[in-house]
Amino acid sequence: MKFKKTMLASGIIAAALAVSTAAYAVTNEQEAEQRWAERDAKISARLLDEEAERADNGLTAFEEAILRGESPYDFRNADYDKQTASGEIIRFDNTPKFADSASGCEITPVHGMEGGGYYLWTGNFRVPSVSEFVKTYSANYFDCTCSEKSAGMTATGGFAGNYKTMSVRLTFLKDGKTNYVSDRADWTQGTVALNDLSCGEGELVAATYYFCLHAGTGQNAPLYEVVSVNVVDDDFAETALYKESISAK
């Protein structure tokens, strides 16, 4: 009889532990869902901010930072709050190189995943004619092409179905003032493209391209690899207007 009582007590304890464990799991799951919901809400708000930023001068604050020679953290990254709280900024040389220099017009890696949480490649070039610039680049996980009238990117390997974003800003100069034409595209298929980009008023003096491959299939997925290409006219690169365009706000 003592044995049966012991068995009964053990059963009661086991049942209580099972209920407690299940309740703990449910609570943890609810807390996790709440955290993700709050994170998604922050990302949605930041994406709306980006739309307003792009409407201002054709670039988002993230893109402007890269153009200045700063590599910002990705606000979609789970560690974004901790990273930005550190106050650290990854800086690199953003001086446009001549197209006929030893490096030519090749993009170079700034950092890998351990840097800003994504792979970043950049290229800043001075050329005799921005309108004649046509170049295709290969990053780790996608290929991309830049030209005056179009741009495109094609993911490689297992990233073909990942979310991809691409933006272009063309800078025109007329009567000593700059004006911008910008466009953006996103897609989850293998290739994303922008064709027949509109022309602005005056002479085309700069073109800036951003190609972003995300880690998942949705726009809230963190960045995985980014390529930034900035092409500027030789003469315009020497002006105060250009220097102002890439200075900190």
Side-chain angles (χ1 to χ4, degrees):
M1 192 66 180
K2 288 182 180 180
F3 177 73
K4 289 183 178 180
K5 285 183 178 179
T6 303
M7 289 285 289
L8 181 59
S10 298
I12 293 172
I13 293 171
L17 286 173
V19 171
S20 176
T21 302
Y24 179 77
V26 169
T27 300
N28 274 4
E29 184 177 347
Q30 290 173 338
E31 290 176 352
E33 289 178 355
Q34 178 65 26
R35 286 197 300 272
W36 282 107
E38 291 173 355
R39 176 178 173 273
D40 286 347
K42 285 184 179 179
I43 292 174
S44 296
R46 188 66 188 86
L47 290 173
L48 289 175
D49 288 342
E50 283 199 339
E51 289 183 18
E53 290 162 0
R54 192 181 300 283
D56 182 33
N57 68 356
L59 297 179
T60 66
F62 180 90
E63 294 165 346
E64 285 182 341
I66 292 178
L67 187 59
R68 290 195 301 267
E70 300 172 1
S71 177
Y73 290 111
D74 176 19
F75 64 84
R76 303 168 184 81
N77 193 293
D79 292 332
Y80 175 70
D81 291 335
K82 181 174 69 175
Q83 290 168 332
T84 54
S86 70
E88 296 177 0
I89 298 176
I90 301 169
R91 301 182 186 276
F92 58 94
D93 181 18
N94 69 328
T95 306
K97 297 177 173 59
F98 287 96
D100 58 357
S101 66
S103 62
C105 285
E106 297 305 313
I107 57 174
T108 56
V110 175
H111 59 69
M113 299 293 286
E114 76 287 349
Y118 53 92
Y119 293 97
L120 175 63
W121 302 73
T122 65
N124 289 278
F125 314 116
R126 293 176 61 156
V127 296
S129 173
V130 177
S131 62
E132 295 178 5
F133 182 85
V134 180
K135 188 76 174 178
T136 298
Y137 297 103
S138 294
N140 290 325
Y141 302 104
F142 64 87
D143 300 323
C144 54
T145 301
C146 310
S147 74
E148 176 195 4
K149 285 292 188 179
S150 64
M153 64 181 291
T154 301
T156 57
F159 290 87
N162 284 41
Y163 187 70
K164 293 169 283 293
T165 59
M166 182 175 62
S167 61
V168 180
R169 186 185 76 170
L170 303 179
T171 304
F172 295 85
L173 180 66
K174 183 179 181 181
D175 299 330
K177 296 181 179 180
T178 55
N179 61 92
Y180 305 107
V181 170
S182 62
D183 206 348
R184 179 185 180 276
D186 61 314
W187 197 236
T188 54
Q189 301 303 314
T191 299
V192 58
L194 286 170
N195 297 309
D196 300 322
L197 291 170
S198 301
C199 288
E201 296 183 5
E203 177 189 3
L204 178 64
V205 291
T208 311
Y209 307 83
Y210 296 90
F211 305 89
C212 302
L213 177 67
H214 292 245
T217 58
Q219 66 178 355
N220 285 8
L223 294 173
Y224 196 80
E225 187 165 32
V226 176
V227 170
S228 168
V229 179
N230 179 49
V231 186
V232 59
D233 178 86
D234 274 337
D235 295 329
F236 184 63
E238 297 294 335
T239 66
L241 274 176
Y242 176 70
K243 293 177 174 62
E244 289 172 5
S245 72
I246 63 171
S247 63
K249 299 295 183 183

